Amino acid sequence: MADEWQEAYEFAVEVARKAGMVIKQEIDKEMKVLTKSSTVDLVTKTDERVEKIIIGSLKTKFGEKAHKFIGEESTEKGCELTDAPTWIIDPVDGTTNFVHGFPFVAVSIAFAVKKELEFGVVYSCLEDKMYRARNGKGAFCNDEPISVSDVKDITKSIIISEHGTDRTPAKVEKIFSTMQKILCIPVHGLRGSGTAATNMCLVATGAVEAFFEIGIHCWDVAAGAVIVREAGGIVLDVSGGPFDLMSRRMLSANHEDIAKRIIKEIEVFEVPRDDGVKHLQQPSSF
Ligand code: IPD
């Protein structure tokens, strides 16, 4: 049977590279910074321009109406994932880094069919690292196969957690309390690159054992989820239940033992879902 989505996968890599070139050209220029959900949730003209370039290129290639799009900058209210072939795009993952010149910024492009992620591409453009993975076909960085670390003992691990863009004191308290408990297990270290997509690729390459966050969006983690799974890792809800792309909660890890130990410490808090659905229970599989 012909490989229906291979062409789309290869094209996504091309488009991510083109988008990354624009980001690299713009990063040193004077930029106007606007805010979105809070005063620390930043957006620039480059985010909007790069998203237009990506969606425009995909529409030119595959037709105006063939696919649906969920893009960070063009999806204003709730995004719905249907059975239709759908691109899920973060044009500049790590906008705060981009604004400050902190050297981790990624283009994240995923593709889902019948609500299942088919492939994911993350271009960490300032490092020139092109991560990609397709269901059942392995994960790669700059065309070299990648795989997660084989560390199962949490006391020998590095864990990534981010604090996101919500500064509500009660939420910040839970985030830092979770980080403190994990740090004191103890683990070798806590890290964070400032881009969820890159964080997931760091799990996929074995540089760290896990990354979790509550408050991320589907466009931050869709591509990384395929890359982590294809590199041999797992992607779950922060409760240990199945990963739900629209839930804004995600834990990726190299191994179940590491995931289980982290889940024990996570102080979960409520965030509105990306699809606007009120509340879904996340049964733990552990
Ligand atoms: C952000 C980054 C960051 C994460 C935030 C995201 P953006 O994405 O992925 O690492 O902590 O939750 O919103 O806004 O730069 O695309």
Side-chain angles (χ1 to χ4, degrees), residues 69-72 75 79-81 86-89 218-219 246:
F69 297 89
I70 295 175
E72 174 169 14
T75 309
C79 34
E80 195 196 1
L81 185 64
T86 303
W87 295 90
I88 305 162
I89 299 155
C218 56
W219 45 78
M246 292 292 151

Side-chain angles (χ1 to χ4, degrees), residues 41 72 90 92-96 162-165 194-197 199 213 215-217 220:
D41 187 6
E72 174 169 14
D90 190 341
V92 181
D93 187 42
T95 302
T96 307
E162 299 268 354
H163 44 63
T165 51
T195 117
N199 289 339
E213 187 172 342
I216 36 80
H217 293 276
D220 297 315

Side-chain angles (χ1 to χ4, degrees), residues 210-254:
F211 161 51
F212 67 93
E213 187 172 342
I214 300 174
I216 36 80
H217 293 276
C218 56
W219 45 78
D220 297 315
V221 293
V226 191
I227 295 168
V228 169
R229 283 183 188 139
E230 285 298 316
I234 50 176
V235 184
L236 300 167
D237 179 66
V238 291
S239 66
F243 171 58
D244 172 348
L245 186 59
M246 292 292 151
S247 69
R248 303 188 55 203
R249 302 149 45 123
M250 188 283 311
L251 165 67
S252 50
N254 65 327

